[in-house]
Amino acid sequence: DAGITQSPRHKVTETGTPVTLRCHQTENHRYMYWYRQDPGHGLRLIHYSYGVKDTDKGEVSDGYSVSRSKTEDFLLTLESATSSQTSVYFCAISVGGVGANIQYFGAGTRLSVL
Amino acid sequence: AQKVTQAQTEISVVEKEDVTLDCVYETRDTTYYLFWYKQPPSGELVFLIRRNSFDEQNEISGRYSWNFQKSTSSFNFTITASQVVDSAVYFCALSLRSGNTGKLIFGQGTTLQVKP
């Protein structure tokens, strides 16, 4: 157990509404990541954070924003949800040196945008 | 550009058969790390192994073994004497030392079904 909690675990929302997903860690790791998982694509990086208030974009960042005001929390926001953002979202923390790190994942959030 | 390809979308075997999951990667970096993760039907992602680009020794852990070959840019995963509990989606992933981001580049995943 890497001490990662994602909330909510499931969410159904309507197109155009804002949605925030939360990732909480208990072990003070510096690096945190948000991925989305879609059939045929594996997992793709949305955004990542390398410290409080330090974030950067991944390969599929359009339509998403993130915030990290505390080491333990990394929030992913869909400003105006679209059906293409229906997916399973995973948060991860990095343990060990960067690059050589092992990423451990939360249980995932299943989001449906109707 | 970096890329990971798992050409096998789905594999079905009968229990006790050996099965190999293929992974081919692309990168121009000389220092990189390769990973395998397992995603059982319950949905969580479970770390299995990490290898760095300077260590081409094969690794064995119980019924699992990994074959890393830089010459063919492959990092294949073999399950010996498969069991029903091995049924899962398996992901191969690549991480680069350069850039200091630690982000993982995943393959598309291979769904393994082990039938009793």
Side-chain angles (χ1 to χ4, degrees):
Chain A
D1 183 359
I4 308 167
T5 304
Q6 290 187 233
S7 59
R9 292 293 316 280
H10 303 271
K11 186 167 182 69
V12 180
T13 191
E14 294 186 351
T15 298
T17 60
V19 176
T20 295
L21 308 183
R22 180 183 183 234
C23 179
H24 178 79
Q25 58 144 329
T26 59
E27 299 180 359
N28 211 35
H29 294 290
R30 180 181 171 197
Y31 281 77
M32 299 182 74
Y33 307 82
W34 276 108
Y35 294 86
R36 59 178 288 175
Q37 182 180 8
D38 304 290
H41 291 279
L43 281 82
R44 292 177 292 175
L45 182 67
I46 305 171
H47 282 280
Y48 67 99
S49 170
Y50 45 97
V52 172
K53 297 186 180 179
D54 291 324
T55 65
D56 206 349
K57 296 178 179 180
E59 62 177 308
V60 290
S61 59
D62 287 349
Y64 302 94
S65 62
V66 290
S67 65
R68 192 162 177 207
S69 58
K70 299 184 290 184
T71 299
E72 58 266 35
D73 288 326
F74 190 31
L75 304 181
L76 177 70
T77 297
L78 291 65
E79 301 290 348
S80 178
T82 67
S83 58
S84 64
Q85 293 176 312
T86 293
S87 187
V88 180
Y89 291 86
F90 285 97
C91 172
I93 54 112
S94 175
V95 178
V98 173
N101 70 94
I102 296 173
Q103 288 190 21
Y104 294 95
F105 290 80
T109 295
R110 187 172 294 275
L111 176 67
S112 295
V113 183
L114 306 178
Chain B
Q2 294 76 40
K3 187 179 179 182
V4 176
T5 301
Q6 295 178 255
Q8 304 152 307
T9 304
E10 294 183 14
I11 301 175
S12 182
V13 299
V14 176
E15 211 170 16
K16 297 183 183 177
E17 284 186 25
D18 298 348
V19 58
T20 295
L21 309 182
D22 297 333
C23 173
V24 174
Y25 63 92
E26 297 175 29
T27 181
R28 292 185 178 180
D29 283 39
T30 56
T31 304
Y32 52 89
Y33 304 87
L34 296 164
F35 303 80
W36 277 94
Y37 284 85
K38 174 182 180 180
Q39 186 176 43
S42 51
E44 73 272 23
L45 284 153
V46 179
F47 165 77
L48 296 178
I49 190 171
R50 176 194 66 197
R51 302 296 285 174
N52 72 58
S53 53
F54 297 108
D55 184 0
E56 288 193 69
Q57 269 195 323
N58 290 335
E59 182 155 341
I60 299 174
S61 176
R63 296 184 297 106
Y64 294 173
S65 62
W66 291 269
N67 179 258
F68 175 29
Q69 291 195 336
K70 287 178 75 171
S71 60
T72 56
S73 296
S74 64
F75 186 43
N76 296 337
F77 174 28
T78 297
I79 302 174
T80 302
S82 60
Q83 300 176 2
V84 172
V85 293
D86 295 326
S87 297
V89 182
Y90 291 88
F91 291 99
C92 180
L94 168 70
S95 174
L96 305 179
R97 179 66 182 90
S98 63
N100 284 337
T101 67
K103 58 186 178 182
L104 291 174
I105 302 155
F106 282 86
Q108 304 92 319
T110 297
T111 300
L112 174 64
Q113 183 182 36
V114 181
K115 299 177 181 179

